[in-house]
C-alpha cells in the first residue's frame, strides 16, 4: 500500500511491535475454540502478529493480513523462530484474497477503526463473504465517547488525527463509532450476538475516558 501511515510511521520504525495478545481476543478465542477440529481464523490487520501468535499456539489454523510489509515480515520471522504455523499476507483488507466461506472465525482488534466508515462497510462485507455460514466475527473499535477524539481534528473522511490527549494520543486517522453506526454496519447478512461498550476512566489523567466497542456478530 502506497504512503501507508502504519508502514511509514510505525512498523518500519520498530514501533507497535506488540508481543502479547489482547485480553478480549483471548476471551473470544476461548469461547469459540474446538480442539478436535481446529478452527480457521482470519486476523484482520494482524500487525506484529501478537493475537495470531496466541491463536496459533492454541491450535487455531491462522491467517493474517496487514498493509504493512514490515509488520508482516516481523510476524513471519516470529512464527519461524518459534516453530509456529501461520499464513501472512501483505495487502489492503478492503479486498480479502480468500474464497467465499473459507473461515470459521474472524477477529479485528482495532484495525477497521483505522479506516473511514465507508471503507469499514466494504471490509465488513468482505468479511461476511469469506466467513462460513454461522461463522463469527469479533469486532473491536473505538467509541465516540473516547476522550482522545475531541482532543484532535476531524479529517474530511470522518476519521480523527492530531489527537493530543488520552490513551490513543498520537495515533492518526482513527474512526470513533456511535452505536447506530455499528448497527448499520451489520444490518445485512449478520446477526449481532453481543454489543458491549467499555469505558475506562483514568482518574489520574483529567478523568480521561478510554471507550471502545466489543461486538460479536454471526454470519447468517
Ligand atoms: C492498531 S493496529 C492493530 C494491530 C493488531 N490488530 C493488534 O491488536 O495489535 C491497526 C493495524 O491495522 C492495519 N491496517 C490499517 N488499515 C489497513 C488496511 N486498509 N489494510 C490492511 N491493514 C490495515 C495497520 O497496518 C495496523 O497493523
Amino acid at each position: 500500500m502506497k504512503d501507508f501511515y502504519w508502514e511509514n510511521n510505525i512498523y518500519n520504525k520498530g514501533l507497535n511491535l506488540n508481543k502479547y495478545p489482547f485480553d478480549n481476543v483471548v476471551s473470544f478465542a476461548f469461547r469459540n475454540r474446538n480442539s478436535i477440529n481446529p478452527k480457521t481464523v482470519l486476523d484482520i490487520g494482524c500487525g506484529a502478529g501478537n493475537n495470531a501468535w496466541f491463536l496459533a499456539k492454541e491450535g487455531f489454523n491462522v491467517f493474517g493480513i496487514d498493509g504493512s510489509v514490515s509488520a508482516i515480515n516481523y510476524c513471519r520471522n516470529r512464527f519461524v523462530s518459534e516453530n509456529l504455523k501461520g499464513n501472512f499476507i501483505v495487502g489492503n483488507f478492503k479486498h480479502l484474497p480468500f474464497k467465499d466461506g473459507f473461515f470459521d472465525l474472524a477477529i479485528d482488534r482495532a484495525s477497521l477503526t483505522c479506516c473511514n466508515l465507508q471503507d469499514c462497510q466494504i471490509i465488513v462485507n468482505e468479511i461476511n463473504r469469506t466467513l462460513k455460514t454461522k461463522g463469527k466475527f469479533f469486532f473491536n473499535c473505538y467509541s465516540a465517547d473516547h476522550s482522545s477524539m475531541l482532543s484532535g481534528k476531524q479529517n474530511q473522511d470522518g476519521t480523527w488525527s492530531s489527537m493530543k490527549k488520552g490513551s490513543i494520543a498520537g495515533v492518526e486517522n482513527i474512526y470513533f463509532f456511535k452505536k447506530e453506526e455499528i448497527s448499520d454496519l451489520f444490518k445485512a447478512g449478520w446477526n449481532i450476538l453481543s454489543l458491549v461498550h467499555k469505558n475506562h476512566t483514568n482518574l489520574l489523567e483529567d478523568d480521561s475516558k478510554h471507550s471502545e466497542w466489543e461486538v460479536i456478530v454471526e454470519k447468517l
Side-chain angles (χ1 to χ4, degrees):
M1 288 165 72
K2 204 170 157 273
D3 299 329
F4 185 44
Y5 164 77
W6 285 91
E7 171 61 21
N8 299 342
N9 298 66
I10 310 286
Y11 293 115
N12 81 358
K13 298 195 164 133
L15 302 174
N16 224 61
L17 297 173
N18 293 332
K19 188 167 180 190
Y20 295 113
F22 280 79
D23 55 352
N24 51 20
V25 173
V26 173
S27 305
F28 176 73
F30 269 88
R31 272 185 263 124
N32 290 288
R33 71 192 185 282
N34 182 341
S35 45
I36 298 160
N37 297 309
K39 291 197 170 172
T40 300
V41 56
L42 175 62
D43 184 356
I44 299 145
C46 58
N50 44 316
N51 300 308
W53 169 85
F54 162 75
L55 293 166
K57 272 179 155 328
E58 289 303 319
F60 287 86
N61 182 21
V62 175
F63 288 73
I65 182 165
D66 201 283
S68 162
V69 176
S70 303
I72 291 294
N73 284 340
Y74 184 87
C75 291
R76 287 179 180 147
N77 290 338
R78 185 176 186 194
F79 270 56
V80 168
S81 72
E82 298 192 32
N83 210 15
L84 290 170
K85 272 202 218 141
N87 309 273
F88 293 102
I89 294 165
V90 179
N92 186 337
F93 49 44
K94 270 170 81 174
H95 310 285
L96 295 177
F98 305 104
K99 60 183 196 230
D100 298 1
F102 187 69
F103 295 104
D104 298 294
L105 301 172
I107 62 160
D108 160 29
R109 208 298 305 175
S111 297
L112 269 65
T113 205
C114 302
C115 303
N116 65 48
L117 190 55
Q118 214 178 354
D119 283 352
C120 283
Q121 187 65 68
I122 294 171
I123 300 156
V124 163
N125 295 348
E126 271 291 88
I127 295 166
N128 188 280
R129 178 185 67 72
T130 54
L131 273 177
K132 294 176 182 158
T133 301
K134 297 245 170 236
K136 287 182 192 157
F137 172 39
F138 172 73
F139 173 52
N140 181 208
C141 61
Y142 295 115
S143 146
D145 282 355
H146 200 297
S147 296
S148 293
M149 187 178 94
L150 292 178
S151 75
K153 286 194 191 118
Q154 193 165 26
N155 303 313
Q156 276 196 335
D157 67 356
T159 60
W160 292 73
S161 293
S162 309
M163 292 175 282
K164 304 272 181 303
K165 290 188 180 163
S167 58
I168 52 170
V171 185
E172 299 295 299
N173 309 320
I174 294 296
Y175 195 82
F176 294 89
F177 284 83
K178 299 190 185 89
K179 184 179 169 201
E180 54 278 17
E181 291 170 335
I182 292 184
S183 308
D184 274 2
L185 267 187
F186 298 107
K187 70 173 183 264
W190 299 96
N191 183 20
I192 300 184
L193 300 178
S194 163
L195 176 60
V196 175
H197 189 243
K198 281 195 172 168
N199 240 328
H200 302 273
T201 307
N202 188 336
L203 302 179
L204 294 183
E205 215 185 76
D206 298 337
D207 287 356
S208 83
K209 273 194 285 175
H210 175 100
S211 304
E212 60 183 51
W213 295 99
E214 288 179 0
V215 189
I216 300 175
V217 289
E218 182 180 69
K219 174 174 169 171
L220 292 173

